[in-house]
């Protein structure tokens, strides 16, 4: 029997060498490829983690943004929270007068056609001083004001037999009045012969008054509360003194009727005060509420809502005088408000009376 060595055969030896080289190449390719794949996977993994972290951080940031209700579906830059009462043309560019400043103050006044002459004098004085003017027509009459030269320059809102505060609550939201420094919310029966809006606002700013009113001329006005009566040789007063009888008022008094309030026929609100007042909340009334004596008005005390004008209904029946009913309704609504206030205080466990502490400190 012959024994033959495979390695001694040149052909077989050459074939084995080829197989060996091929195996080395395959192994080398495997290890190199594994290293490359591992690197790529690591880079992809790190990139994904970085993107995830970045996106997650952005998401958290967006969640913390305070978005206005109803605007969540819109990009932030397109949302405009406030507006104004400036009228715009139906077509063409908006005309800009470079010589005049935008109106910084607003006069809103409840009007009826019977007081047209008085209202005309008020409006003319305020327009000259650059005010935006808004008329609340409680008698539904609008067209009969068109003969006045300024009629097309002011805003007219009409609703039959509604009060000034009804109009203000619905048409003077703080976001609409946000561009105005001061809001005058006046009745129509006011004489303004001794009143200058520009001088008045200068005093209000100097005195730091957030809620104010011009004093009433005691000789010509219907004065319901002595706090509102004008004091001679005085620029501003904030309190009323009464040393006799019940309900005394002195330097230790911290609440109405002695201090911290104005009457509602001619109030003037700063922008911040109006935002608070619209929600029925006020600030430090002992310092920021006052009556301006040097710029004063006359309160004519003309009754309007519910007063019969002698006209007849379409049926021919004479209109009744419902002034007493209007006053009774006012009293009823005040009682309802007091009940709502007490319920709100009782149910809001987080609310703290901002005035109670100062009253307690004064009493000790």
């Amino acid at each position: 029997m012959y024994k033959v060595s495979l390695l001694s055969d040149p052909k077989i030896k050459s074939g084995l060498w080829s197989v060996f080289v091929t195996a080395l190449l395959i192994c080398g390719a495997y290890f190199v490829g594994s290293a490359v794949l591992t690197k790529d996977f690591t880079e992809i993994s790190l990139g994904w983690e970085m993107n995830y972290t970045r996106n997650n951080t952005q998401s958290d940031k967006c969640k913390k943004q305070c978005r206005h209700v109803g605007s969540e579906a819109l990009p932030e830059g397109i949302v405009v929270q406030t507006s104004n009462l400036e009228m715009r043309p139906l077509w063409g560019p908006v005309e800009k007068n470079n010589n005049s400043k935008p109106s910084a103050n607003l006069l809103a006044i409840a009007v009826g056609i019977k007081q047209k002459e008085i209202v005309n004098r008020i409006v003319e004085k305020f327009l000259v001083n650059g005010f935006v003017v808004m008329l609340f027509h409680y008698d539904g009459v609008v067209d009969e004001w068109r003969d006045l030269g300024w009629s097309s320059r002011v805003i007219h809102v009409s609703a039959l037999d509604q009060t000034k505060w009804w109009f203000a609550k619905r048409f003077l939201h703080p976001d609409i009045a946000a561009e105005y420094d001061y809001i005058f919310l006046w009745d129509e029966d006011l004489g303004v012969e001794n009143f200058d809006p520009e001088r008045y606002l200068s005093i209000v700013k100097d005195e730091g008054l957030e809620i104010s009113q011009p004093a009433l001329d005691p000789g010509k006005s219907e004065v319901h509360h002595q706090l509102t009566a004008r004091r001679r040789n005085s620029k501003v007063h904030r309190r009323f003194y009464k040393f006799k009888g019940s309900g005394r008022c002195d330097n230790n008094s911290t609440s109405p009727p002695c201090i911290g309030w104005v009457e509602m026929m001619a109030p003037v609100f700063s922008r911040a005060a109006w935002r608070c007042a619209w929600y029925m909340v006020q600030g430090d009334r002992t310092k920021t509420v006052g009556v301006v004596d040097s710029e004063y008005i006359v309160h004519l005390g003309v009754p309007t809502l519910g007063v019969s004008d002698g006209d007849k209904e379409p049926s021919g029946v004479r209109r009744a005088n419902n002034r007493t009913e209007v006053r009774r309704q006012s009293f009823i609504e005040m009682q309802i408000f007091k009940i709502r206030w007490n319920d709100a205080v009782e149910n809001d466990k987080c609310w703290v009376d901002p005035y109670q502490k100062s009253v307690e400190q004064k009493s000790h």
Side-chain angles (χ1 to χ4, degrees):
M1 181 179 290
Y2 294 96
K3 294 182 179 179
V4 179
S5 175
L6 295 176
L7 295 177
S8 62
D9 189 333
K11 293 182 178 180
I12 295 175
K13 186 176 181 179
S14 176
L16 290 174
W17 176 251
S18 298
V19 171
F20 177 73
V21 171
T22 302
L24 286 176
L25 291 174
I26 292 173
C27 290
Y30 171 77
F31 287 114
V32 172
S34 297
V36 172
L37 289 173
T38 301
K39 180 181 178 182
D40 290 344
F41 178 79
T42 302
E43 290 178 351
I44 292 172
S45 177
L46 289 174
W48 181 84
E49 289 179 359
M50 291 174 64
N51 288 334
Y52 175 80
T53 302
R54 187 184 303 113
N55 293 336
N56 200 39
T57 302
Q58 184 68 20
S59 177
D60 291 341
K61 179 181 178 181
C62 291
K63 287 179 180 178
K64 293 179 181 178
Q65 286 183 345
C66 181
R67 306 302 295 269
H68 302 293
V69 176
S71 70
E72 296 85 355
L74 301 172
E76 184 180 8
I78 203 66
V79 177
V80 179
Q81 182 181 0
T82 62
S83 185
N84 57 38
L85 296 169
E86 180 182 358
M87 290 186 282
R88 302 174 66 88
L90 289 176
W91 64 86
V94 178
E95 295 183 3
K96 293 184 178 180
N97 186 352
N98 295 326
N99 297 323
S100 63
K101 297 179 180 179
S103 299
N105 304 295
L106 169 68
L107 168 68
I109 179 170
V111 302
I113 195 62
K114 289 183 180 181
Q115 311 305 328
K116 183 177 180 180
E117 184 177 343
I118 299 175
V119 172
N120 181 43
R121 290 195 290 267
I122 297 173
V123 172
E124 285 183 340
K125 179 161 285 193
F126 278 82
L127 286 176
V128 168
N129 285 274
F131 276 66
V132 170
V133 176
M134 191 174 195
L135 301 186
F136 299 140
H137 297 274
Y138 60 78
D139 59 357
V141 179
V142 178
D143 288 344
E144 292 184 29
W145 295 83
R146 295 187 184 278
D147 61 324
L148 298 175
W150 47 258
S151 181
S152 61
R153 296 165 52 197
V154 307
I155 299 164
H156 300 265
V157 180
S158 176
L160 195 61
D161 292 336
Q162 301 304 312
T163 68
K164 174 176 67 177
W165 299 102
W166 184 92
F167 284 105
K169 184 67 175 180
R170 288 155 181 81
F171 298 101
L172 288 182
H173 187 280
D175 287 347
I176 299 299
E179 292 192 13
Y180 304 110
D181 295 334
Y182 291 91
I183 296 95
F184 289 62
L185 192 54
W186 279 17
D187 288 353
E188 61 187 332
D189 58 339
L190 303 175
V192 292
E193 290 77 11
N194 299 296
F195 180 81
D196 183 276
E198 187 174 351
R199 288 201 301 264
Y200 180 89
L201 289 179
S202 177
I203 295 170
V204 165
K205 293 174 184 177
D206 290 343
E207 294 289 332
L209 299 179
E210 298 289 343
I211 302 176
S212 62
Q213 76 162 82
L216 304 182
D217 185 337
K220 300 179 180 179
S221 300
E222 182 176 320
V223 178
H224 299 293
H225 305 280
Q226 286 302 312
L227 177 68
T228 64
R230 181 186 179 225
R231 298 180 186 176
R232 293 185 178 276
N233 302 318
S234 170
K235 184 167 68 172
V236 171
H237 69 269
R238 292 175 171 82
R239 62 173 63 245
F240 162 67
Y241 294 94
K242 181 183 178 184
F243 301 110
K244 297 181 180 180
S246 60
R248 297 187 181 186
C249 295
D250 53 33
N251 285 326
N252 294 322
S253 301
T254 59
S255 60
C258 306
I259 190 174
W261 68 284
V262 297
E263 202 167 0
M264 289 295 99
M265 93 282 285
V268 179
F269 301 90
S270 70
R271 181 193 298 112
W274 177 243
R275 184 169 289 277
C276 291
W278 196 85
Y279 291 104
M280 298 306 297
V281 183
Q282 295 183 7
D284 185 355
R285 59 193 179 203
T286 64
K287 297 179 181 179
T288 59
V289 180
V291 178
V292 177
D293 296 296
S294 56
E295 294 298 321
Y296 58 98
I297 58 177
V298 175
H299 181 213
L300 302 176
V302 179
T304 51
L305 291 176
V307 176
S308 172
D309 56 6
D311 294 338
K312 295 182 179 180
E313 299 285 359
S315 61
V317 178
R318 186 173 295 278
R319 290 174 178 167
N321 190 328
N322 295 313
R323 182 63 180 171
T324 302
E325 295 300 322
V326 171
R327 295 181 67 86
R328 182 180 291 111
Q329 182 64 28
S330 177
F331 175 80
I332 292 172
E333 291 184 4
M334 175 56 72
Q335 301 309 307
I336 294 173
F337 174 79
K338 289 180 179 179
I339 294 173
R340 288 181 54 220
W341 177 270
N342 292 334
D343 289 344
V345 170
E346 182 179 354
N347 294 327
D348 190 346
K349 305 304 180 184
C350 297
W351 183 76
V352 178
D353 187 345
Y355 305 117
Q356 189 63 38
K357 185 176 181 180
S358 61
V359 172
E360 291 175 352
Q361 289 175 345
K362 291 285 185 180
S363 62
H364 292 300

